[in-house]
Amino acid sequence: MSDWTWATDSRYPSFCLVLFRDVAVSDLLEVYGISTGATQLLHLDEVPYAFPLDTPGSLVRCGTSGRWSFFFESSGSQGADKRMIERVKTEEALQIIKGGDGTNAIAHFTHGRQTEHFEPGRPAEVYGDGPHTLSAQLVQAASEKGSLWLDECLDIIGTHLGFSIPRHLLDGPLVTFFVPAQ
């Protein structure tokens, strides 16, 4: 079973997950303008008691998986801002968006430059400067299987890039903060 089955769970109707290779969570907080004093280490079930979930803004949970640090937002869209991703000094970043309307998107960045952007269900329709390595792998897998669900796409990409975000990692203690809407 894939570590990514949570990505198709109705518990997460929409989310934005942004991963950065070889960047510490503390460095990401700095780039995003968040002081460590504004964060708390929380399990997912503690979040509603610590942050105003009925207030417009972004709830962000941060952690690591192997050489990758990540920001996960189940409400709000700070991580969807490409300019924020481009500000992080990293060799490689990945942005995964699951839209509540059924539209999903994956964007791959190398040295701050977007190399590919595509919908997981249509990896042959890819945009970006290239190389299109992740979308090519999904095209190959889809040709063998017929079609791929979002969790299957993320499993292939995670295996290729060397990370996994299983549900227990998202539910466990993560650095958490809230950014009010501006």
Side-chain angles (χ1 to χ4, degrees):
M1 177 183 272
S2 168
D3 282 339
W4 296 92
T5 54
W6 62 265
T8 56
D9 190 330
S10 61
R11 180 177 180 184
Y12 299 105
S14 63
F15 64 82
C16 179
L17 174 64
V18 185
L19 299 107
F20 302 89
R21 187 159 49 107
D22 296 330
V23 179
V25 168
S26 59
D27 293 336
L28 292 176
L29 293 173
E30 186 176 312
V31 168
Y32 278 71
I34 304 299
S35 72
T36 54
T39 67
Q40 296 182 48
L41 186 64
L42 299 172
H43 284 83
L44 182 61
D45 59 359
E46 298 171 307
V47 170
Y49 304 105
F51 293 100
L53 299 182
D54 58 348
T55 302
S58 294
L59 176 69
V60 185
R61 296 181 38 82
C62 317
T64 59
S65 175
R67 295 175 55 190
W68 294 80
S69 293
F70 65 87
F71 276 15
F72 178 81
E73 295 174 76
S74 57
S75 70
S77 59
Q78 290 286 321
D81 187 343
K82 186 172 88 166
R83 293 169 300 183
M84 295 297 282
I85 296 168
E86 291 169 344
R87 287 176 41 196
V88 177
K89 302 295 184 219
T90 184
E91 188 174 314
E92 190 169 23
L94 186 70
Q95 175 192 61
I96 302 161
I97 297 174
K98 177 185 176 188
D101 62 357
T103 303
N104 303 317
I106 295 175
H108 190 213
F109 297 81
T110 304
H111 300 289
R113 185 177 53 83
Q114 185 173 299
T115 56
E116 56 187 327
H117 182 272
F118 58 93
E119 288 188 43
R122 297 197 312 250
E125 296 175 28
V126 62
Y127 306 94
D129 300 337
H132 301 154
T133 56
L134 301 180
S135 55
Q137 287 189 359
L138 296 181
V139 167
Q140 175 66 33
S143 72
E144 294 168 4
K145 188 174 180 201
S147 65
L148 299 171
W149 292 96
L150 179 60
D151 61 323
E152 295 169 310
C153 294
L154 298 178
D155 194 42
I156 291 166
I157 291 169
T159 298
H160 174 72
L161 296 178
F163 65 83
S164 177
I165 310 289
R167 183 163 181 168
H168 68 84
L169 179 59
L170 288 180
D171 290 351
L174 293 175
V175 173
T176 306
F177 61 92
F178 184 80
V179 180
Q182 298 180 13

